[in-house]
Amino acid sequence: EKTYGMVAYPAAAVDQGDKNFVFTQAVASNTWVIQHNLNKFPSVTSVNVNNIEMFGEVVFADVNNLTINFTSASSGKAYIN
């Protein structure tokens, strides 16, 4: 008779680094509604189509959704991390 031992090791955690998301608002709007799915309350930087930073009111609905409210309709990108 033979006895065999078996050991199972959990997979090593994969470092995914800092999560981020880039949102594009193609049509000018006062309100950008963004679903980022980062499972956190991220920092937000918004820029217009000329890559000039714009400042709007960021409202967090939950850890995966936010809205940016601007005083005038704008298009551009939001960098979320």
Side-chain angles (χ1 to χ4, degrees):
E1 288 184 41
K2 294 183 180 181
T3 304
Y4 296 94
M6 192 175 220
V7 177
Y9 294 99
V14 176
D15 183 13
Q16 296 178 0
D18 188 27
K19 298 177 186 178
N20 64 73
F21 179 77
V22 178
F23 173 80
T24 300
Q25 180 69 40
V27 177
S29 177
N30 289 42
T31 303
W32 296 5
V33 179
I34 303 170
Q35 180 178 357
H36 54 77
N37 293 325
L38 296 177
N39 200 35
K40 64 179 183 176
F41 295 105
S43 64
V44 180
T45 302
S46 53
V47 298
N48 65 17
V49 294
N50 296 314
N51 287 323
I52 297 172
E53 188 171 8
M54 302 183 304
F55 298 96
E57 175 192 37
V58 177
V59 179
F60 295 98
D62 56 39
V63 295
N64 291 308
N65 299 280
L66 62 88
T67 301
I68 308 174
N69 298 307
F70 297 102
T71 56
S72 61
S74 303
S75 58
K77 293 187 179 198
Y79 297 97
I80 301 167
N81 56 22

